[in-house]
Amino acid sequence: MANRQLIDDGTVALLESRDLNIRSLMAGLFGGNRRSGHFGSSMEFADYRPYTPGDDLRRIDWKLYGRLDQYFVKLFTDERRQHHRIYIDGSASMAWGEPEKHLTALRLAALIGYLAVSGTDRVTWYALERTACRRVTETVSNREAWVLGLERLGELRCGGDTRMDVSVMRCTDPGYHDGVSFLISDFLTDRNWKGAVDWLLSRKREVCLIQVLSPDEIGPALNGRLFLNDTESVGEDDERNRRMEIGRDRLRAYAEAFRWLEDDIRSFCGARRVRFFMTSADAPISRILYDGAIRSEMMQ
Amino acid sequence: MSFQNPRGLWLLLGIPVLILIWLIRQQHENRRVSSSYIWRLSDRFLKRRLPLSRFRRWLVFLLQLLLVAGGAFLAARPVLDHGAQVDYLIILDASASMQTKTEGGDTRYETAVGMVRALSKEVSDGHTMSVVLAGEQAEYLLADASSRQEVLSALDASSCGWGGCALSGAMTLAQLFLYEHPGAEVILYTDQTVEEAEEITVVRLGGEEWNAALTRFSVQQDGEGGADLTAALTSHGQDAQIAVGLYVDGRLAEVVNYACRADTPAQVRFHVDDLKAVASFALAIDPGDALAEDNRIVYFPENERPCDTLLVTQTPFYLETALDALGRGEVRLAATETEILPSGYDLCVFDGFVPDTFPQAGAIFLVNPPAMPDGLTLRGVSEEPVSLTASAAGSVFLDKLLANMTLGETVVAKHAVVDATDDWTTVCSAAGDPVLLARNLENGCALVVLLFDLHDANLPLQTDFLHLLRNVMNLATPSLLERRILTVGETQTVTLLPNAAPVVITAPDGTVTEIGEAGDTKLAVSLPGAYPLVTEDEEAGFFAVIPEEESAPAQTASLTLIREESDSKTAPEEATEGIWRIAALILLAILLTEWGIYVYEQH
């Protein structure tokens, strides 16, 4: 059954009646149950077209020929198997919070993977580490492989400063028009993560962003004269480290900056039809699913 | 600027502590965060601040420093020495010891005056100066002088006395001065050693000079016309070999050397065979010490005045014999009053008899009166033999009537028991009952009553009887001078009998005083030395010595003045109050600025 470290049976039970919400018709491998933009050999009727030489005679609608005295060929929708890719931010900042944001990210990645294989799709997990994009497991296409993949997911560790745009672009098999790319991160970086999203979109992939934050990032409880040491900084002289006097005014400014950041991500995503939701790392997984994934139409 | 409470400046140590705390607080606590991204992003949302608010921490810090420094400043009670008016009260010890010459040749008093002269330079800078002379009495020489010339003139006109030092009186004046001038500075110039002084600055002058003194002079007559002259010779400050000379009528008669230990009086004794044959005796030393006025004592022997006496008695034996023996003039004996009118006598003695009317002059001596005069009520007669005892001293009658009497073995076998009104003075008692009483009559006569028969007591057999009669005679014909030796500052009483010739008194400084009015004339004695008297009948005189304690500087335990805290130093307080107001305004401005910044940031 499911890996106990990341996901339990109850959570899996929540997903039994759920599926990933794929907006566009995509290409993919044959044998899936996702409708493709192409006409194929499924049982679902799609349209007619005039017969042209070379068409399979078995697809000619003879009843229509009887009425209209013209040959029309019946067209059926094509159902393809999608290949979803889940990119997990492995930067040092993800190893923060109680529970760690990274753990929540892995749980979400596991759940998305479960939904994918439940829908006969395939899924691949990638860890974004510094400027690299490391495949965590081989492509998972069924539940047995998913269970095995969870163990590999559980072994992921965080560290360093991730260049999301570079590392995503270095992915050896990012796919093209064949599924959804999930990007799970805290997005607390001034690196060009938006470049990664645009690059994935350029490959005609649907993109979903999940922002995982710790409670003290949503509402910090700092006070006094502090030297803020960024977990991803290199040495004390790193520009990301900052001496700061935190008081009432600074906390108010932080709240405004936080709202601005969320608005910026939402407006960016909205302009590109990228789905997005933000969750707290300490939120129950059921709440993440319903208030985040379903409300953002990432899941149905 | 000076500080009344310099210990308050210890509060300034709070400033480095405050700085240390501030520096520590300036340290940034290292805090690891997942990402500083939003924190950095918050910079652009931080509200625009007033330029002043950037220095708010500095302002708060400076405010704290100001508070600490201000608190220390106020606790130290600053006094502005310049620019503000300070009232000086100078107390000059003007006692005889201040006439002691110092090594520089000046007296201690002159040295003190010189120091006050130097201090008087500040009077022209807006200060005022008052000077109190603490001589025999404490009195203002100068009050609230605001010009130096005024001070100098007063000092030039001042002189040091030869009496004691009324230091307590001066301190009372100083305390009153402090009440009126709470910021005043009180300075005492004295040769006394003051162990502890509070709110008063003591400037001690001299004290190391050597001085030898003759004091405690007394004359003890031997009953044979001679007398022992005694005095105490003290060498203050060092051991010394001192020669004491006895001068008879101005001529050196005898010299005795005395080895004196420092500060230990030596007894000086000379014997004179015939006291009445000499006009004056003098004891003198000449050691070349710092103070000469205590080196000589002159004694003018007293010549008793004649006393015409009327004796009315049935049993004249004792009284007549004694009166004749005294040789003080004519004694008229009468059996009853009617035989001789009791007038024209200095003394009337009625033994076992009371006249209908008392004489109008002189003195009256009633012995064993059959009827009690006014004020005395007979209660009975005590026949139990009891001793005669003198009453406690304190009355003029006691001093005069008991002079030279011992009353050692006087026993009274029988005496009248009376109740006396308050105007009677009990001179002697027998078993608690007054037996010798005296009072002044309305006409000025002295009335002396002896309440037992001379035959019922052993008094007539003793020398005390002669002394008593002499004393009664002296009461009738008092001596020209009350005392022969007295101390500077005391008052001499010169008693001139009616129709007597005027008395001319020459003071040591040559001042001549003539007294012609009959009765008692009080004469203040302010200079040490001999005061010879010249009358038509006799030559006499008296001698004034300086107070014994002036021969050596005294020691005073403590001098304390109370300065009211609330009104502390009027003039400096005004300056302090001005500074305080400015500081308060600055602090108020800082606080308002802080409040303004707060309101601005809130909205």
Side-chain angles (χ1 to χ4, degrees), chain B residues 11-12 14-15 18-19 58-75 579-580 582-591:
Chain B
L11 287 176
L12 290 176
I15 288 180
L18 210 58
I19 292 172
W58 279 96
L59 285 175
V60 172
F61 177 58
L62 284 176
L63 181 68
Q64 291 170 332
L65 288 182
L66 276 174
L67 282 174
V68 173
F73 189 70
L74 290 178
I579 294 170
W580 172 239
I582 293 170
L585 283 176
I586 292 172
L587 293 183
L588 188 64
I590 292 171
L591 287 173

Side-chain angles (χ1 to χ4, degrees), chain A residues 3-296:
Chain A
N3 187 306
R4 292 289 176 186
Q5 285 186 331
L6 295 179
I7 200 160
D8 55 22
D9 292 340
T11 307
V12 171
L14 288 173
L15 301 175
E16 289 300 335
S17 59
R18 300 293 174 181
D19 192 9
L20 291 175
N21 185 15
I22 310 298
R23 280 175 175 169
S24 55
L25 302 176
M26 292 186 179
L29 295 176
F30 297 106
N33 57 5
R34 305 291 181 193
R35 290 173 60 196
S36 166
H38 302 284
F39 296 112
S41 57
S42 70
M43 297 301 289
E44 190 176 352
F45 172 76
D47 204 354
Y48 292 102
R49 73 169 169 80
Y51 171 79
T52 56
D55 286 341
D56 188 356
L57 294 176
R58 287 175 299 177
R59 295 198 173 216
I60 295 173
D61 189 339
W62 295 108
K63 290 180 180 177
L64 198 59
Y65 172 75
R67 290 199 300 267
L68 300 175
D69 199 21
Q70 283 185 353
Y71 296 105
F72 287 94
V73 177
K74 291 169 78 172
L75 298 175
F76 297 89
T77 56
D78 187 18
E79 289 183 336
R80 301 289 182 92
R81 199 177 194 188
Q82 302 291 304
H83 186 176
H84 307 303
R85 290 168 176 81
I86 303 173
Y87 301 95
I88 304 164
D89 185 1
S91 64
S93 66
M94 289 297 286
W96 187 267
E98 184 62 38
E100 287 184 1
K101 294 185 286 184
H102 188 60
L103 183 60
T104 304
L106 292 178
R107 283 174 175 165
L108 285 170
L111 290 174
I112 292 168
Y114 181 82
L115 287 171
V117 297
S118 296
T120 69
D121 291 336
R122 300 188 302 164
V123 67
T124 306
W125 292 300
Y126 293 96
L128 303 179
E129 296 171 342
R130 302 182 189 277
T131 57
C133 182
R134 181 170 65 83
R135 186 196 293 261
V136 178
T137 61
E138 293 299 320
T139 301
V140 173
S141 56
N142 54 54
R143 291 188 180 181
E144 288 71 21
W146 174 79
V147 172
L148 293 174
L150 291 185
E151 292 181 4
R152 302 292 303 277
L153 269 182
E155 293 170 0
L156 279 183
R157 293 292 178 267
C158 299
D161 175 19
T162 298
R163 290 288 304 272
M164 213 174 291
D165 51 346
V166 177
S167 56
V168 169
M169 288 177 197
R170 286 187 176 176
C171 180
T172 53
D173 181 21
Y176 183 86
H177 196 47
D178 61 348
V180 182
S181 293
F182 294 90
L183 205 52
I184 305 174
S185 172
D186 55 10
F187 299 105
L188 297 181
T189 176
D190 40 9
R191 306 292 191 195
N192 187 21
W193 59 268
K194 293 176 181 176
V197 175
D198 285 338
W199 185 77
L200 290 171
L201 289 173
S202 69
R203 297 190 65 81
K204 292 195 174 180
R205 292 187 60 83
E206 272 193 55
V207 179
C208 292
L209 304 185
I210 300 173
Q211 187 182 26
V212 181
L213 295 174
S214 66
D216 64 336
E217 288 168 339
I218 298 171
L222 299 181
N223 189 31
R225 300 176 67 82
L226 301 175
F227 177 71
L228 300 178
N229 191 347
D230 195 304
T231 53
E232 295 176 11
S233 64
V234 182
E236 285 203 349
D237 296 333
D238 193 300
E239 62 179 6
R240 284 169 290 194
N241 296 332
R242 182 69 69 90
R243 294 181 195 280
M244 201 169 279
E245 182 181 350
I246 298 176
R248 186 184 61 247
D249 298 340
R250 174 62 73 171
L251 290 173
R252 191 178 291 126
Y254 182 95
E256 290 185 28
F258 186 84
R259 282 194 297 275
W260 179 88
L261 181 64
E262 294 299 308
D263 292 345
D264 180 57
I265 297 174
R266 288 185 193 282
S267 63
F268 174 82
C269 294
R272 291 162 176 76
R273 300 191 73 236
V274 170
R275 282 166 286 182
F276 163 77
F277 75 88
M278 184 271 285
T279 186
S280 175
D282 64 342
I285 203 71
S286 58
R287 188 175 155 194
I288 295 174
L289 291 175
Y290 287 103
D291 291 352
I294 295 176
R295 188 168 291 178
S296 65

Side-chain angles (χ1 to χ4, degrees), chain A residues 93 96 188 190 217 222 225-231 240 242 245 248-250 253-254 257 260, chain B residues 25-26 28-43 45-46 57 601-602:
Chain A
S93 66
W96 187 267
L188 297 181
D190 40 9
E217 288 168 339
L222 299 181
R225 300 176 67 82
L226 301 175
F227 177 71
L228 300 178
N229 191 347
D230 195 304
T231 53
R240 284 169 290 194
R242 182 69 69 90
E245 182 181 350
R248 186 184 61 247
D249 298 340
R250 174 62 73 171
Y254 182 95
W260 179 88
Chain B
R25 287 184 60 189
Q26 285 297 102
H28 290 72
E29 183 185 347
N30 201 335
R31 185 67 63 89
R32 198 161 177 79
V33 293
S34 62
S35 171
S36 65
Y37 178 62
I38 303 179
W39 290 111
R40 284 179 277 131
L41 205 59
S42 68
D43 281 347
F45 297 98
L46 207 55
R57 290 183 64 82
E601 290 183 351
Q602 287 296 313

Side-chain angles (χ1 to χ4, degrees), chain B residues 259-321:
Chain B
C260 297
R261 296 185 62 186
D263 302 318
T264 305
Q267 182 78 11
V268 174
R269 183 185 298 273
F270 289 96
H271 184 75
V272 179
D273 292 333
D274 189 357
L275 201 59
K276 291 184 178 178
V278 179
S280 69
F281 298 98
L283 296 182
I285 57 176
D286 187 16
D289 57 352
L291 184 63
E293 276 67 18
D294 56 2
N295 293 348
R296 188 172 72 107
I297 297 174
V298 179
Y299 178 69
F300 296 90
E302 183 179 4
N303 293 319
E304 292 174 329
R305 286 178 166 179
C307 180
D308 291 339
T309 304
L310 168 65
L311 174 60
V312 181
T313 179
Q314 298 288 340
T315 53
F317 177 71
Y318 289 132
L319 287 169
E320 187 179 17
T321 306

Side-chain angles (χ1 to χ4, degrees), chain B residues 96-107:
Chain B
S97 63
M98 290 292 282
Q99 304 265 23
T100 305
K101 290 197 178 299
T102 61
E103 290 180 357
D106 292 335
T107 65

